[in-house]
Amino acid sequence: LAKTTQPISMDSYEGQEVNITCSHNNIATNDYITWYQQFPSQGPRFIIQGYKTKVTNEVASLFIPADRKSSTLSLPRVSLSDTAVYYCLVGEGNTGGFKTIFGAGTRLFVKA
Amino acid sequence: SAVISQKPSRDICQRGTSLTIQCQVDSQVTMMFWYRQQPGQSLTLIATANQGSEATYESGFVIDKFPISRPNLTFSTLTVSNMSPEDSSIYLCSVDWTGQNIQYFGAGTRLSVL
């Protein structure tokens, strides 16, 4: 499993776009990049997953450069409710039940 | 997405006792996972539970301390045995029902050991 490195914490203000970058220099060919969000007293929640280039859903965008050694989660126009811990994980997709190892995550604080 | 229910949601236990945590999924899944999350920390994988076979434990976790059952494709239990205050933590179960390495988590069980 590739190791990931993220900033420990980030601050933002409501309405701003937030970009959280994750480094994964040892990513393997079959690895996908997956991001989770965790609020206090809740289990992590899947946000987005990608393999290369750009993926967008109703919650976020994920940008992955050609070398795939990093990825950036982009949250458009954050609100106070986006204050949470965000985890970047790298591992094989489409393998059915492959275990997930969590890194330290990034604590995002959104201020009014 | 799969709906995952954990019971109990929280408990306060005495040192030396055991607690069994239940995890129920509304879909059949091959693998279920158990995690521990200590206060302010990230999640640590305890074990992977396959239906019909022994659970696979991660380094630092042993079956005598954290026995796991997986009687069918929708249910699993984790027992925290002979508890000490160091076992105070949140315990979470998760499943990957899509087969795409996307985990879905229960709300967790908050355990406090006195």
Side-chain angles (χ1 to χ4, degrees), chain B residues 18-37:
Chain B
S18 297
L19 176 71
T20 295
I21 301 168
Q22 300 179 5
C23 182
Q24 178 78 50
V25 188
D26 68 347
S27 304
Q28 293 187 341
V29 292
T30 303
M31 286 180 156
M32 296 176 76
F33 305 89
W34 287 98
Y35 290 84
R36 180 174 73 183
Q37 187 171 30

Side-chain angles (χ1 to χ4, degrees), chain A residues 34 36 38 41-44 46 49 87 91-104 107, chain B residues 31 33 35 37 40-43 45 48 58 90 92 96 99-108 110:
Chain A
T34 309
Y36 293 84
Q38 186 179 27
S41 302
Q42 294 186 25
F46 168 77
Q49 184 183 69
Y87 296 98
E92 288 189 35
N94 299 317
T95 57
F98 190 79
K99 66 183 181 183
T100 299
I101 305 298
F102 282 77
R107 293 182 180 274
Chain B
M31 286 180 156
F33 305 89
Y35 290 84
Q37 187 171 30
Q41 303 294 313
S42 182
L43 287 78
L45 182 64
T48 302
E58 297 300 306
I90 299 172
L92 300 114
D96 175 6
Q100 296 179 334
N101 199 14
I102 297 174
Q103 299 274 313
Y104 292 89
F105 286 82
R110 184 179 295 273

